[in-house]
Amino acid sequence: MTATAGARPDGAAPSPGPLAGLRVLDLATLFAGPLAATLLGDYGAEVIKVEHPHRPDPSRGHGPAKDGVGLWWKLLGRNKKTVTLDLSHPDGREVLLRLAAGADVVIESFRPGTLERWGLGWDELSARRPGLVLARVTGFGQFGPYARRPGFGTLAEAMSGFAAITGEPDGPPTLPPFGLADAIAALTTSYAVMAALHARAATGRGQVIDLALIEPMLTVLGPQPLWYDQLGHLQPRTGNRSPHVAPRNTYRTADGAWVAVSTSAESVAARVMRLVGRPEVIDEPWFATAEGRARHADELDTAVAGWIARHDRAEVLSAFEKAEAAVAPVYDVREVMADPQYRALGTITEIPDDELGTVRMQNVLFRLSATPGAIRWAGRPHGADTDDVLTGIGLTGPEIDALRAAGAL
């Protein structure tokens, strides 16, 4: 049975979340900033998504749709109230400042200088709310020779060194087929927001977060700058192999499926080689170190690939489990959604939705024992909460109508 979003194992009602009482204004688009806001909303923050009246967040039109409803937005827009507001309009600017006066966090992803041009820079925002945290998420940061360039995750994946080490040795640099740099930047942004809020608890003052997509992506690549600095070492493309350990690869089974094998520990590598019928290599002097095994990757890979090719996937997984060796099936999303471990964790959850009935999507990112997160609703229609949110900051119905007639909403 698919787990319900926010359900607790003991059957108790979901908590309001550890970030309840926090108000976040999401002014960002595509994709790091909005995903950071989603992560905060998953754990109880009130997130208000601000979109242009005539140019909605582009994620609403990205990827497949059902009955004209963009499915990506259902994920990215979950737990967010949706408001339309033209920030470049003088009246829209004033409404945003009123919203900011009651907010804790603003997340934006405009090119540097855009908010300032609209009279919505840090000076204006912090004057209304001294404790505000402003997270500015861009491709290249707020200063430097590339600051004003358009920046997307693909560029970060290229410039960070990720693409250069990804792919087959004789093939081209390879980009991921999903928003990897954006997702890493989103996780980093949500962490940065929490760090800034922790500092605010001590000082009472907010601050600006300057996050460039190129930097978190570089960080997760590990010690490459250190290796180059100290040794002049450039990591090559090695396909699915690791330059530091072997056997480590994907292997095709007799029934045409694929499995991945990892042997970072010598003990696990030894179990694998015994399993595949090559125990004699364990006694070789080079086998005792990860680097030594990596230098003999051809020999080890040939043995492992040959054994796996003679067995169906179920047989391979069973044999590796009995041997206490590390293996995993290479899944597509159909298999992810049917896997018993994901089901036990509640990783995929069902969400009631006014537009699509019920939708299934990834659950909140981690489990907290006392104050768990929850998905309260999937992404809502463009501007669905405009009137309710603006009424909440003191605007009357006639005032909202006038703003709409003026083109500010």
Side-chain angles (χ1 to χ4, degrees):
M1 179 178 177
T2 305
T4 301
R8 287 177 48 155
D10 59 8
S15 79
L19 300 183
L22 199 71
R23 174 172 281 191
V24 178
L25 303 184
D26 175 8
L27 315 184
T29 59
L30 291 177
F31 282 96
L35 180 55
T38 302
L39 297 174
L40 298 173
D42 284 352
Y43 290 91
E46 178 191 13
V47 180
I48 298 172
K49 175 69 178 181
V50 177
E51 299 175 82
H52 192 277
H54 309 298
R55 296 189 297 276
D57 189 298
S59 67
R60 290 182 181 273
H62 266 61
K66 181 180 179 183
D67 299 332
V69 177
L71 299 178
W72 202 328
W73 169 252
K74 287 295 175 185
L75 175 68
L76 193 62
R78 72 190 194 187
N79 291 333
K80 297 180 182 181
K81 299 175 181 178
T82 61
V83 170
T84 58
L85 197 59
D86 184 347
L87 302 182
S88 66
H89 191 289
D91 293 336
R93 169 188 180 274
E94 183 56 35
V95 172
L96 193 282
L97 289 172
R98 290 182 66 169
L99 284 169
D104 299 283
V105 180
V106 172
I107 301 176
E108 65 100 355
S109 60
F110 299 105
R111 291 196 207 183
T114 301
L115 283 186
E116 284 75 9
R117 189 171 71 250
W118 295 336
L120 291 170
W122 172 242
D123 290 344
E124 292 84 0
L125 291 171
S126 61
R128 295 292 181 104
R129 177 74 160 101
L132 187 72
V133 171
L134 174 61
R136 317 195 77 166
V137 184
T138 58
F140 304 103
Q142 295 295 310
F143 57 91
Y146 304 160
R148 297 189 64 83
R149 291 182 181 180
F152 298 100
T154 297
L155 308 188
E157 289 147 10
M159 286 185 60
S160 64
F162 171 84
I165 64 170
T166 304
E168 294 300 324
D170 57 352
T174 301
L175 296 166
F178 65 100
L180 178 61
D182 283 296
I184 292 171
L187 291 164
T188 308
T189 300
S190 62
Y191 167 73
V193 165
M194 300 313 299
L197 290 173
H198 182 74
R200 186 183 74 175
T203 67
R205 303 292 299 180
Q207 59 185 298
V208 178
I209 296 165
D210 177 8
L211 190 135
L213 265 65
I214 56 175
E215 292 180 307
M217 192 70 204
L218 177 59
T219 295
V220 301
L221 292 179
Q224 288 191 56
L226 183 60
W227 288 338
Y228 180 74
D229 174 62
Q230 295 295 304
L231 302 172
H233 174 73
L234 294 174
Q235 182 172 330
R237 287 193 290 282
T238 56
N240 289 323
R241 286 182 173 178
S242 167
H244 312 297
V245 68
R248 188 263 198 182
N249 213 325
T250 57
Y251 306 92
R252 193 167 191 173
T253 63
D255 54 349
W258 291 85
V259 297
V261 172
S262 178
T263 59
S264 296
E266 180 189 353
S267 59
V268 175
R271 292 172 199 153
V272 170
M273 299 319 295
R274 290 191 190 99
L275 174 62
V276 303
R278 290 294 308 277
E280 72 279 2
V281 300
I282 299 169
D283 297 324
E284 295 287 346
W286 51 262
F287 194 86
T289 67
E291 290 77 10
R293 295 193 298 277
R295 288 195 298 270
H296 290 78
D298 286 343
E299 178 181 355
L300 299 177
D301 258 352
T302 297
V304 175
W307 186 89
I308 287 176
R310 297 192 298 272
H311 298 82
D312 289 348
R313 186 174 79 174
E315 296 171 332
V316 172
L317 298 177
S318 176
F320 268 72
E321 183 174 359
K322 289 177 182 176
E324 297 185 352
V327 70
V330 176
Y331 279 164
D332 61 26
V333 71
R334 294 170 297 180
E335 294 170 301
V336 167
M337 296 178 77
D339 181 83
Q341 181 62 31
Y342 282 125
R343 285 178 177 266
L345 295 173
T347 306
I348 303 296
T349 188
E350 292 183 351
I351 309 296
D353 184 72
D354 291 340
E355 294 180 289
L356 299 176
T358 299
V359 296
R360 289 190 292 166
M361 65 176 67
Q362 301 95 317
N363 209 335
V364 297
L365 195 58
F366 50 85
R367 287 164 289 281
L368 294 175
S369 62
T371 55
I375 303 171
R376 300 179 296 282
W377 60 82
R380 288 172 51 70
H382 181 229
D385 304 292
T386 301
D387 287 21
D388 286 345
V389 169
L390 298 191
T391 299
I393 60 171
L395 293 175
T396 65
E399 287 174 323
I400 294 171
D401 291 340
L403 288 167
R404 192 167 277 123
L409 301 184

